[in-house]
């Protein structure tokens, strides 16, 4: 059982959304007005660390630090979504009114947008058989070769420097997440060749692109998914 989506046409700018798939902040994902029980973030994570930090289990300093990071991430993600759609955007947080213009400006001026164009942004995906839903930051198409489709995700970072005072990015591994989005996209658009996968790490002073092997991503996700459902059965 899978969702049948119309094929992406050569001159089509954006992927069609999955009809009936919605997200609500309080209730999560719904498909045809019925709750989708499993979120991608839950399937790929084997830890409740961030939930505990958010709840203050590790002290107020870590809790505040996480909230600041979330504020930056949410603001920059919103700006990127508006940017790839050709809309105006504001680098001020709607929650704290903090200004993230340095990071946003560095991101939207990066060379990646010369090579890739978005065909999906904040694109909701669904594995209808296993009842898993998630939202992919970016589904990209190569401007020179429309047969090349990429799954990409944005990770915002704080400004950090090394001993020489040069800006650095502390990269983390996200191949399982990318593999999850690839798996769900392939289910609804099997004709798309998604063999390019990467993370855009962005701080106020540096942008780095981390590429991943698509097969490693898929295998990592499938292993995490199997473990997740095994734990669900045990529970």
């Amino acid at each position: 059982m899978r969702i049948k989506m119309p094929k992406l046409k050569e001159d089509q700018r954006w992927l069609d959304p999955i009809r009936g798939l919605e997200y609500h902040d309080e209730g999560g994902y719904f498909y045809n007005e019925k709750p989708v029980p499993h979120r991608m973030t839950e399937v790929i994570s084997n830890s409740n660390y961030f939930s505990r930090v958010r709840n203050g289990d590790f002290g107020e300093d870590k809790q505040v630090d996480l909230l600041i990071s979330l504020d930056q991430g949410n603001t920059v993600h919103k700006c990127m979504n508006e940017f790839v759609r050709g809309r105006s955007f504001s680098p001020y947080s709607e929650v704290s009114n903090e200004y993230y213009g340095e990071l946003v400006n560095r991101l939207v001026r990066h060379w990646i947008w010369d090579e890739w164009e978005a065909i999906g942004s904040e694109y909701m995906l669904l594995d209808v058989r296993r009842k898993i839903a998630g939202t992919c930051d970016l589904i990209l198409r190569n401007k020179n070769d429309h047969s090349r489709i990429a799954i990409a995700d944005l990770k915002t970072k704080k400004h950090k420097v090394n001993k020489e005072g040069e800006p650095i990015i502390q990269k983390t591994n996200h191949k399982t997440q990318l593999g999850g989005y690839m798996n769900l996209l392939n289910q609804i658009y099997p004709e798309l060749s998604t063999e390019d996968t990467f993370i855009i790490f962005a701080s106020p002073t540096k942008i780095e692109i981390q590429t991943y092997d698509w097969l490693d991503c898929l295998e990592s996700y499938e292993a995490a998914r199997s473990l997740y459902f095994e734990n669900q059965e045990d529970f």
Side-chain angles (χ1 to χ4, degrees):
M1 180 181 181
R2 69 177 182 88
I3 298 170
K4 181 70 173 178
M5 297 293 289
K7 288 188 176 183
L8 182 68
K9 299 176 183 177
E10 177 66 23
D11 59 350
Q12 186 176 337
R13 183 63 178 82
W14 296 95
L15 293 175
D16 293 319
I18 299 175
R19 291 185 178 180
L21 182 59
E22 299 177 344
Y23 178 80
H24 304 283
D25 289 338
E26 295 184 359
Y29 291 95
F30 288 79
Y31 181 56
N32 292 336
E33 300 184 351
K34 294 181 180 179
V36 180
H38 310 294
R39 299 190 192 189
M40 178 62 70
T41 51
E42 299 168 343
V43 174
I44 65 175
S45 175
N46 58 6
S47 170
N48 63 351
Y49 174 75
F50 286 106
S51 296
R52 295 184 63 192
V53 172
R54 190 195 294 265
N55 293 333
D57 292 357
F58 298 101
E60 185 177 351
D61 288 345
K62 279 188 174 294
Q63 185 182 38
V64 170
D65 192 55
L66 175 62
L67 292 175
I68 293 172
S69 296
L70 290 173
D71 187 55
Q72 172 181 268
N74 291 337
T75 303
V76 178
H77 273 80
K78 183 174 181 180
C79 289
M80 182 181 69
N81 181 47
E82 300 296 344
F83 165 72
V84 298
R85 295 180 183 278
R87 302 170 181 164
S88 62
F89 52 86
S90 171
Y92 286 92
S93 166
E94 294 180 349
V95 176
S96 66
N97 204 38
E98 187 71 26
Y99 178 70
Y100 298 108
E102 188 176 359
L103 195 161
V104 170
N105 289 332
R106 185 174 294 276
L107 176 63
V108 301
R109 293 171 181 169
H110 195 262
W111 60 261
I112 193 172
W113 312 116
D114 297 328
E115 296 185 8
W116 298 88
E117 62 183 3
I119 58 174
S121 178
E122 297 296 324
Y123 189 84
M124 291 189 292
L125 294 160
L126 177 66
D127 180 338
V128 69
R129 183 165 71 87
R130 299 178 183 88
K131 298 180 175 62
I132 303 170
T135 300
C136 181
D137 283 354
L138 292 167
I139 302 171
L140 304 173
R141 177 171 57 193
N142 188 275
K143 290 183 176 181
N144 295 322
D145 182 359
H146 281 191
S147 68
R148 287 181 61 190
I149 304 297
I151 297 288
D153 198 81
L154 171 67
K155 303 296 181 187
T156 59
K157 297 289 184 176
K158 295 180 179 178
H159 166 66
K160 290 199 173 190
V161 296
N162 59 19
K163 293 180 180 179
E164 288 73 35
E166 300 168 337
I168 58 172
I169 293 279
Q170 291 186 327
K171 295 189 287 291
T172 42
N173 193 325
H174 300 280
K175 65 180 180 180
T176 307
Q177 181 183 14
L178 293 173
Y181 295 142
M182 186 187 305
N183 179 275
L184 268 59
L185 181 65
N186 286 345
Q187 291 183 44
I188 61 173
Y189 283 103
E191 75 278 5
L192 296 182
S193 176
T194 52
E195 296 186 1
D196 289 276
T197 56
F198 49 86
I199 296 291
I200 305 170
F201 290 101
S203 81
T205 50
K206 193 174 181 66
I207 304 284
E208 285 195 18
I209 307 296
Q210 176 72 51
T211 60
Y212 293 84
D213 179 84
W214 67 271
L215 187 56
D216 285 346
C217 293
L218 279 178
E219 290 177 345
S220 179
Y221 170 68
E222 288 169 358
R225 186 185 63 197
S226 295
L227 180 61
Y228 172 79
F229 281 112
E230 285 176 10
N231 292 335
Q232 293 286 306
E233 292 173 1
D234 292 341
F235 179 77

